[in-house]
Amino acid sequence: MARDTTDNRPIGAIDELVGYLAAGSKPKDAWRIGTEHEKFPFYVDGNQPVPYEGPRGIRALLEGMQKTLGWDPIEDAGHIIGLVEPTGQGAISLEPGGQFELSGAALETIHQTCREGNAHLAQLREIAEPLGIRFLGLGASPKWRLSDTPKMPKSRYDIMTAYMPKVGTHGLDMMYRTCTIQVNLDFASEADMRRKMQVSTRLQPLSTALFANSPFTDGGLNGFQSWRAEIWRDTDNQRSGLLPFVFNRDFGFADYVEWALDVPMYFVIRDGRYHDCTHVTFRQFMDGALRKTVPDGMPTMGDWANHLSTLFPDVRLKRFLEMRGADGGPWRRICALPAFWVGLLYDDAALDAAEDLTKGWSFEEVQAMRDAVPVEGLANRFRNHELRETAREVLAISRMGLKHRARRNHEGYDETDFLNPLDEVVARGTTSAQEMVTAYHTRWGGSIEPVFLEHAY
C-alpha cells in the first residue's frame, strides 16, 4: 500500500463500517485485476543490501523513477517514500527493509498485467543499473541478517517495529526480510464475496506450496521451502493467519467487521503525524478511548480504511479481496499468480467447480495444511494423497476458467499460457525452493551467492 488514506467523514455506527465493505461490490463487467509484487534491491558489487540514503541509495532510485515516470511523489516527514500515478493507476512503495513494490493498476486482463510488469521492470533497470543495483525475486532475504537490513524512513514502520516483538517471534522478519506477489480481485455482492473468500481461503495453502521460493536465511539453508510462510505462523496471530469464521455458511461483511473491530490498531494520522495507537482496538477507539490523547480523537472512514490495511489474514477483505499466500518470485510468477486466481474466481463454472472441490474442507484440515506446507510443500499429505494431486485438479479448473474468459492478446493467445510455470512445478513435483536447494548442494557448491545471478531482475 503506497499511501495511507485520508477520509475525514466521521463514523456514526458499526453499520457504516459494514456498508463501507459492501460498497466494493461491482457488476461482473467492472471486475478488474490488481497485481502487487515486491523485490529486494541489492548492490551487484558484493550482493549487499541497498540503504535509503546516499548517492546510490533507494532515495536516489525513487527520485530517478519519478523523473522517468512523471509520477507524483509520496512523502513522509520530508522523505520520499513512494510514487503514485497521477490518476491513481498504479503506485510504487517501499516495504520496511527497502523491498521495492509495484502496486499495479486495476486492469482487465492478465496480458495487461504482464505488459505492466515488463514496463515497470524495464524502467526500473534503466534507473538502477547505473547505480549498480539489481533486484532479487525471492520470498525472503537469503543472505542478510536482520541487523544488516536497512530501515526505511516511514512513520507507520517505526510504530510497527516497536510493536511486533510484543506479539510474536517473527514480526520483524516479516517486515524487513520477506517479499510477496499478491493479486487483488473484485466481487459482485456479499454472496459472491463469501464464495470467493471461502474458496480462496481453503486454497491459499496450496498457493503457498506452488509458489514456495524462500529456502535460504542468513546465508544458508533454513529447512523450509517457504520460510516466508513459516514467518507468518508467528508474526501477530491476532491479525493474521486463517480466520475460522470465514468457514461459516452464513459468513458475511458484518462478521469480518466484528473481527476487525477487536484487533489492536497500529496508528491514526492527524495533520500528517502518525500517532501510536497499538494500545487500543478499533472498537475502543469508537467508544472514545483516544478522545483525550489524539487530536480529533474520534474515528473517521480514513482511519477505518487504514486499519483494514494493517490486518494480515491469508485472504484480506477490503473493498476487494487480496490473495496473500504466495512468495515473491521471478517475472513469470508475477503473471502466474493473478492467472491462477482469476481462472478460479472470475468464471462462474470454474468457481462452481472450485467450490465443489473444497466445500467439505474443514478449518482444522486447512489449518493443518497451512502449518505443513512451509516445510513439505506439495509433498504434504492432504486427504490421503499428496497436495501435488490436488494442485493438478485445481490448475485444471483454473485453466478452464481462463479458457472460458477467452481474453486474447493481439496474437490470438488466451490467458491460459500464464499458468505454464505452475504446470511445470506440478509436472516436476518440485518447487522453485527445492530446485534451489538442489543447486546449492550441486552446481552452486554450497554457496548461495549464485542466487543473486539466477534469480535477479
Coordinates of all heavy atoms in Angstrom, one line a residue, residues 114-175:
C114 N 0.9 -8.5 -17.4 CA 2.3 -8.8 -17.8 C 3.0 -7.6 -18.5 O 4.2 -7.4 -18.3 CB 2.3 -10.0 -18.7 SG 2.4 -11.5 -17.7
R115 N 2.2 -6.9 -19.4 CA 2.8 -5.8 -20.0 C 3.2 -4.7 -19.0 O 4.3 -4.0 -19.1 CB 1.9 -5.2 -21.1 CG 1.8 -6.0 -22.3 CD 1.1 -5.3 -23.4 NE -0.3 -5.0 -23.2 CZ -1.3 -5.8 -23.5 NH1 -1.1 -6.9 -24.1 NH2 -2.5 -5.4 -23.3
E116 N 2.3 -4.5 -18.0 CA 2.6 -3.6 -16.9 C 3.9 -4.0 -16.2 O 4.8 -3.1 -15.9 CB 1.4 -3.5 -16.0 CG 1.6 -2.7 -14.7 CD 0.5 -2.8 -13.7 OE1 0.3 -3.9 -13.2 OE2 -0.2 -1.8 -13.4
G117 N 4.0 -5.3 -15.8 CA 5.2 -5.7 -15.1 C 6.4 -5.6 -15.9 O 7.5 -5.2 -15.4
N118 N 6.4 -5.9 -17.2 CA 7.5 -5.7 -18.1 C 8.0 -4.3 -18.2 O 9.2 -4.0 -18.1 CB 7.2 -6.2 -19.5 CG 7.4 -7.7 -19.7 OD1 8.1 -8.3 -19.0 ND2 6.7 -8.3 -20.7
A119 N 7.0 -3.4 -18.3 CA 7.3 -2.0 -18.4 C 8.0 -1.5 -17.1 O 9.0 -0.7 -17.1 CB 6.1 -1.1 -18.8
H120 N 7.4 -1.9 -16.0 CA 7.9 -1.5 -14.7 C 9.4 -1.9 -14.5 O 10.3 -1.1 -14.1 CB 7.1 -2.0 -13.6 CG 7.7 -1.9 -12.2 ND1 7.8 -0.7 -11.6 CD2 8.2 -2.8 -11.4 CE1 8.4 -0.9 -10.4 NE2 8.6 -2.2 -10.3
L121 N 9.6 -3.2 -14.8 CA 11.0 -3.7 -14.6 C 12.0 -3.1 -15.6 O 13.1 -2.8 -15.2 CB 11.0 -5.2 -14.8 CG 10.2 -6.0 -13.7 CD1 10.1 -7.5 -14.0 CD2 10.8 -5.8 -12.3
A122 N 11.5 -2.8 -16.8 CA 12.4 -2.1 -17.8 C 12.8 -0.7 -17.3 O 13.9 -0.3 -17.4 CB 11.8 -2.1 -19.1
Q123 N 11.8 0.0 -16.8 CA 12.0 1.4 -16.3 C 12.9 1.3 -15.1 O 13.8 2.1 -14.9 CB 10.7 2.0 -15.9 CG 9.8 2.3 -17.1 CD 8.3 2.4 -16.8 OE1 7.9 2.1 -15.6 NE2 7.5 2.9 -17.7
L124 N 12.7 0.3 -14.2 CA 13.5 0.2 -13.0 C 14.9 -0.1 -13.3 O 15.9 0.5 -12.8 CB 12.9 -0.9 -12.1 CG 13.2 -1.0 -10.7 CD1 13.0 0.3 -10.0 CD2 12.4 -2.1 -10.0
R125 N 15.2 -1.0 -14.3 CA 16.5 -1.4 -14.7 C 17.3 -0.1 -15.3 O 18.5 0.1 -15.0 CB 16.5 -2.5 -15.7 CG 16.3 -3.9 -15.0 CD 16.6 -5.0 -16.0 NE 15.7 -5.0 -17.1 CZ 14.6 -5.8 -17.1 NH1 14.3 -6.5 -16.1 NH2 13.7 -5.7 -18.1
E126 N 16.5 0.7 -16.0 CA 17.1 1.8 -16.6 C 17.7 2.8 -15.6 O 18.8 3.4 -15.8 CB 16.1 2.6 -17.5 CG 16.6 3.9 -18.1 CD 15.5 4.6 -18.9 OE1 14.4 3.9 -19.2 OE2 15.6 5.8 -19.2
I127 N 17.0 2.9 -14.5 CA 17.5 3.8 -13.4 C 18.5 3.1 -12.5 O 19.5 3.7 -12.0 CB 16.3 4.3 -12.5 CG1 15.2 5.0 -13.4 CG2 16.7 5.2 -11.5 CD1 15.7 6.1 -14.3
A128 N 18.2 1.8 -12.2 CA 19.0 1.1 -11.2 C 20.4 0.7 -11.7 O 21.4 0.7 -10.9 CB 18.2 -0.2 -10.8
E129 N 20.5 0.3 -13.0 CA 21.8 -0.3 -13.4 C 22.9 0.7 -13.3 O 24.0 0.4 -12.9 CB 21.7 -0.8 -14.8 CG 20.9 -2.1 -14.8 CD 20.8 -2.8 -16.2 OE1 21.4 -2.2 -17.2 OE2 20.2 -3.9 -16.3
P130 N 22.8 2.0 -13.7 CA 23.9 3.0 -13.5 C 24.2 3.1 -12.0 O 25.4 3.6 -11.7 CB 23.3 4.3 -14.0 CG 22.3 3.9 -15.0 CD 21.6 2.6 -14.4
L131 N 23.3 2.8 -11.1 CA 23.6 2.9 -9.7 C 24.2 1.6 -9.1 O 24.5 1.5 -7.9 CB 22.3 3.2 -8.9 CG 21.6 4.4 -9.3 CD1 20.3 4.6 -8.5 CD2 22.5 5.7 -9.0
G132 N 24.4 0.6 -10.0 CA 24.9 -0.7 -9.6 C 23.9 -1.5 -8.8 O 24.3 -2.4 -8.0
I133 N 22.6 -1.3 -9.0 CA 21.6 -2.0 -8.3 C 20.8 -3.0 -9.2 O 20.5 -2.7 -10.4 CB 20.6 -1.0 -7.7 CG1 21.3 -0.1 -6.7 CG2 19.4 -1.7 -7.1 CD1 20.4 1.0 -6.2
R134 N 20.6 -4.2 -8.7 CA 19.6 -5.1 -9.3 C 18.6 -5.5 -8.3 O 18.7 -5.1 -7.1 CB 20.4 -6.3 -9.9 CG 21.3 -5.9 -11.1 CD 21.7 -7.1 -11.9 NE 20.6 -7.7 -12.6 CZ 20.8 -8.9 -13.3 NH1 21.9 -9.6 -13.2 NH2 19.7 -9.4 -13.9
F135 N 17.7 -6.4 -8.7 CA 16.6 -6.8 -7.8 C 16.5 -8.3 -7.8 O 16.6 -9.0 -8.8 CB 15.3 -6.2 -8.3 CG 15.3 -4.7 -8.2 CD1 15.9 -3.9 -9.2 CD2 14.9 -4.0 -7.0 CE1 15.9 -2.5 -9.2 CE2 15.0 -2.6 -7.0 CZ 15.5 -1.9 -8.0
L136 N 16.2 -8.8 -6.6 CA 16.1 -10.3 -6.3 C 14.7 -10.7 -6.2 O 13.9 -10.1 -5.4 CB 16.9 -10.6 -5.1 CG 17.2 -12.1 -4.8 CD1 18.1 -12.7 -5.9 CD2 17.9 -12.2 -3.4
G137 N 14.3 -11.7 -7.0 CA 12.9 -12.2 -6.9 C 12.8 -13.5 -6.1 O 12.8 -14.6 -6.6
L138 N 12.8 -13.3 -4.7 CA 12.6 -14.4 -3.8 C 11.5 -14.1 -2.8 O 11.2 -12.9 -2.7 CB 13.9 -14.8 -3.1 CG 15.1 -15.3 -3.9 CD1 16.3 -15.6 -2.9 CD2 14.7 -16.6 -4.6
G139 N 11.1 -15.1 -2.0 CA 10.1 -14.8 -1.0 C 10.7 -14.3 0.3 O 10.0 -13.7 1.1
A140 N 12.0 -14.5 0.5 CA 12.7 -14.0 1.7 C 14.1 -13.7 1.4 O 14.8 -14.2 0.5 CB 12.6 -15.0 2.8
S141 N 14.7 -12.7 2.2 CA 16.0 -12.3 2.1 C 17.0 -13.5 2.4 O 16.9 -14.1 3.5 CB 16.3 -11.2 3.0 OG 17.7 -10.9 3.1
P142 N 17.8 -13.9 1.4 CA 18.6 -15.1 1.6 C 19.9 -15.0 2.4 O 20.4 -16.0 2.8 CB 18.9 -15.5 0.1 CG 19.0 -14.2 -0.6 CD 18.0 -13.3 0.1
K143 N 20.4 -13.8 2.5 CA 21.8 -13.6 3.0 C 21.9 -12.7 4.2 O 22.6 -13.0 5.1 CB 22.6 -13.0 1.8 CG 24.1 -12.8 2.2 CD 24.8 -12.3 0.9 CE 26.3 -11.9 1.3 NZ 27.0 -11.5 0.1
W144 N 21.2 -11.6 4.1 CA 21.4 -10.5 5.1 C 20.7 -10.8 6.4 O 19.5 -11.1 6.5 CB 21.0 -9.2 4.6 CG 21.4 -9.0 3.1 CD1 22.7 -9.1 2.6 CD2 20.6 -8.6 2.0 NE1 22.7 -8.9 1.3 CE2 21.4 -8.6 0.9 CE3 19.2 -8.3 1.9 CZ2 20.9 -8.3 -0.4 CZ3 18.7 -8.0 0.6 CH2 19.6 -8.0 -0.5
R145 N 21.4 -10.7 7.5 CA 20.8 -10.7 8.8 C 19.9 -9.6 9.1 O 20.0 -8.5 8.4 CB 21.9 -10.8 9.9 CG 22.8 -12.0 9.9 CD 23.8 -12.0 11.1 NE 24.6 -10.8 11.0 CZ 25.8 -10.8 10.4 NH1 26.2 -11.8 9.7 NH2 26.5 -9.7 10.4
L146 N 19.0 -9.7 10.0 CA 18.1 -8.6 10.3 C 18.9 -7.3 10.7 O 18.5 -6.2 10.3 CB 17.2 -9.0 11.5 CG 16.0 -8.0 11.8 CD1 15.1 -7.9 10.6 CD2 15.3 -8.6 13.0
S147 N 20.0 -7.5 11.4 CA 20.8 -6.3 11.8 C 21.5 -5.7 10.6 O 21.9 -4.6 10.6 CB 21.9 -6.8 12.8 OG 22.7 -7.8 12.3
D148 N 21.7 -6.4 9.4 CA 22.3 -5.9 8.2 C 21.3 -5.2 7.3 O 21.7 -4.5 6.4 CB 22.9 -7.0 7.4 CG 24.0 -7.8 8.1 OD1 24.7 -7.2 8.9 OD2 24.1 -9.0 7.9
T149 N 20.0 -5.4 7.6 CA 19.0 -4.9 6.7 C 18.6 -3.4 7.0 O 18.4 -3.0 8.1 CB 17.7 -5.7 6.9 OG1 18.0 -7.1 6.7 CG2 16.6 -5.3 5.9
P150 N 18.7 -2.6 5.9 CA 18.4 -1.2 6.1 C 16.9 -1.0 6.6 O 16.1 -1.8 6.4 CB 18.6 -0.5 4.7 CG 18.8 -1.7 3.8 CD 18.9 -2.9 4.5
K151 N 16.7 0.2 7.1 CA 15.3 0.6 7.6 C 14.9 1.8 6.8 O 15.6 2.8 6.7 CB 15.3 0.8 9.1 CG 15.5 -0.4 9.9 CD 15.5 -0.1 11.4 CE 15.6 -1.4 12.2 NZ 16.7 -2.2 11.9
M152 N 13.7 1.8 6.3 CA 13.1 2.9 5.5 C 12.5 3.9 6.4 O 11.9 3.6 7.4 CB 12.1 2.4 4.5 CG 12.7 1.4 3.5 SD 14.0 2.1 2.4 CE 15.5 1.3 3.2
P153 N 12.6 5.2 6.1 CA 12.1 6.3 7.0 C 10.6 6.5 6.8 O 10.1 7.5 6.2 CB 12.9 7.5 6.5 CG 13.1 7.2 5.0 CD 13.3 5.8 4.9
K154 N 9.8 5.6 7.3 CA 8.4 5.6 7.1 C 7.7 5.5 8.5 O 7.9 4.5 9.2 CB 7.9 4.4 6.2 CG 6.6 4.6 5.4 CD 6.5 3.6 4.3 CE 5.2 3.7 3.6 NZ 5.0 2.7 2.5
S155 N 6.9 6.4 8.8 CA 6.4 6.5 10.2 C 5.6 5.3 10.6 O 5.7 4.9 11.8 CB 5.5 7.8 10.3 OG 6.3 9.0 10.1
R156 N 4.8 4.8 9.8 CA 4.0 3.6 10.2 C 4.9 2.4 10.5 O 4.6 1.6 11.4 CB 3.0 3.2 9.1 CG 3.6 2.7 7.8 CD 2.7 1.6 7.1 NE 1.3 2.0 6.9 CZ 0.4 1.1 6.6 NH1 0.7 -0.2 6.4 NH2 -0.9 1.4 6.4
Y157 N 6.1 2.3 9.9 CA 7.0 1.2 10.1 C 7.7 1.4 11.5 O 8.1 0.4 12.1 CB 8.0 1.1 9.0 CG 7.4 0.7 7.7 CD1 8.0 1.0 6.5 CD2 6.2 0.1 7.6 CE1 7.5 0.7 5.2 CE2 5.6 -0.3 6.4 CZ 6.2 0.1 5.2 OH 5.7 -0.2 4.0
D158 N 7.9 2.6 11.9 CA 8.5 2.8 13.2 C 7.6 2.3 14.3 O 8.0 1.6 15.3 CB 8.8 4.3 13.5 CG 9.9 4.9 12.6 OD1 10.7 4.1 12.1 OD2 9.9 6.1 12.4
I159 N 6.3 2.6 14.1 CA 5.3 2.1 15.1 C 5.3 0.5 15.1 O 5.3 -0.1 16.1 CB 3.9 2.7 14.8 CG1 4.0 4.2 15.1 CG2 2.8 2.0 15.6 CD1 2.7 4.9 14.6
M160 N 5.2 0.0 13.9 CA 5.2 -1.5 13.8 C 6.4 -2.2 14.3 O 6.3 -3.2 14.9 CB 4.9 -1.9 12.3 CG 3.6 -1.5 11.8 SD 3.4 -1.7 10.0 CE 3.6 -3.5 9.9
T161 N 7.6 -1.5 14.1 CA 8.8 -2.1 14.5 C 8.9 -2.2 16.0 O 9.4 -3.2 16.6 CB 10.0 -1.3 14.0 OG1 10.0 -1.4 12.6 CG2 11.4 -1.8 14.5
A162 N 8.4 -1.2 16.7 CA 8.3 -1.3 18.2 C 7.3 -2.3 18.7 O 7.5 -2.9 19.8 CB 8.0 0.1 18.7
Y163 N 6.2 -2.5 18.0 CA 5.1 -3.3 18.4 C 5.3 -4.8 18.2 O 4.9 -5.6 19.0 CB 3.8 -2.8 17.7 CG 2.6 -3.6 18.1 CD1 2.0 -3.5 19.4 CD2 1.9 -4.4 17.2 CE1 0.9 -4.1 19.7 CE2 0.8 -5.0 17.5 CZ 0.2 -4.9 18.8 OH -0.9 -5.6 19.1
M164 N 5.9 -5.1 17.0 CA 5.9 -6.5 16.6 C 6.6 -7.5 17.6 O 6.0 -8.6 17.8 CB 6.7 -6.6 15.2 CG 5.8 -6.2 14.0 SD 4.4 -7.3 13.8 CE 3.8 -6.6 12.3
P165 N 7.7 -7.2 18.3 CA 8.2 -8.1 19.2 C 7.3 -8.4 20.4 O 7.6 -9.4 21.1 CB 9.5 -7.4 19.7 CG 9.9 -6.5 18.5 CD 8.6 -6.0 18.0
K166 N 6.3 -7.6 20.6 CA 5.4 -7.8 21.7 C 4.3 -8.9 21.4 O 3.7 -9.4 22.3 CB 4.7 -6.5 22.1 CG 5.6 -5.4 22.5 CD 4.9 -4.0 22.7 CE 5.8 -2.9 23.0 NZ 5.1 -1.6 23.1
V167 N 4.2 -9.2 20.1 CA 3.0 -10.0 19.8 C 3.4 -11.3 18.9 O 2.5 -12.0 18.5 CB 2.0 -9.2 19.0 CG1 1.3 -8.2 19.9 CG2 2.6 -8.5 17.7
G168 N 4.7 -11.5 18.8 CA 5.1 -12.7 18.0 C 6.6 -12.7 17.9 O 7.3 -11.8 18.2
T169 N 7.1 -13.8 17.4 CA 8.6 -14.0 17.3 C 9.2 -13.6 15.9 O 10.4 -13.5 15.8 CB 9.0 -15.5 17.6 OG1 8.3 -16.3 16.6 CG2 8.5 -15.9 19.0
H170 N 8.3 -13.5 14.9 CA 8.8 -13.3 13.6 C 8.3 -12.0 12.9 O 8.5 -11.8 11.7 CB 8.4 -14.5 12.7 CG 9.3 -15.7 12.9 ND1 10.6 -15.7 12.9 CD2 8.9 -17.0 13.2 CE1 11.1 -16.9 13.1 NE2 10.1 -17.7 13.3
G171 N 7.7 -11.1 13.7 CA 7.2 -9.9 13.1 C 8.2 -9.0 12.4 O 7.9 -8.5 11.3
L172 N 9.4 -8.9 12.9 CA 10.4 -8.1 12.3 C 11.0 -8.8 11.0 O 11.3 -8.1 10.0 CB 11.5 -7.8 13.3 CG 11.1 -6.9 14.5 CD1 12.3 -6.6 15.4 CD2 10.4 -5.6 14.1
D173 N 11.1 -10.1 11.1 CA 11.5 -10.8 9.9 C 10.4 -10.6 8.8 O 10.8 -10.4 7.6 CB 11.6 -12.3 10.2 CG 12.8 -12.7 11.0 OD1 13.9 -12.0 10.8 OD2 12.7 -13.5 11.9
M174 N 9.2 -10.7 9.1 CA 8.1 -10.4 8.1 C 8.3 -9.1 7.5 O 8.2 -8.9 6.3 CB 6.7 -10.5 8.8 CG 5.6 -10.3 7.8 SD 5.1 -8.5 7.6 CE 4.5 -8.1 9.2
M175 N 8.5 -8.0 8.3 CA 8.6 -6.7 7.8 C 9.8 -6.4 6.9 O 9.7 -5.9 5.9 CB 8.6 -5.7 9.0 CG 7.3 -5.6 9.8 SD 7.5 -4.5 11.2 CE 7.9 -2.9 10.4

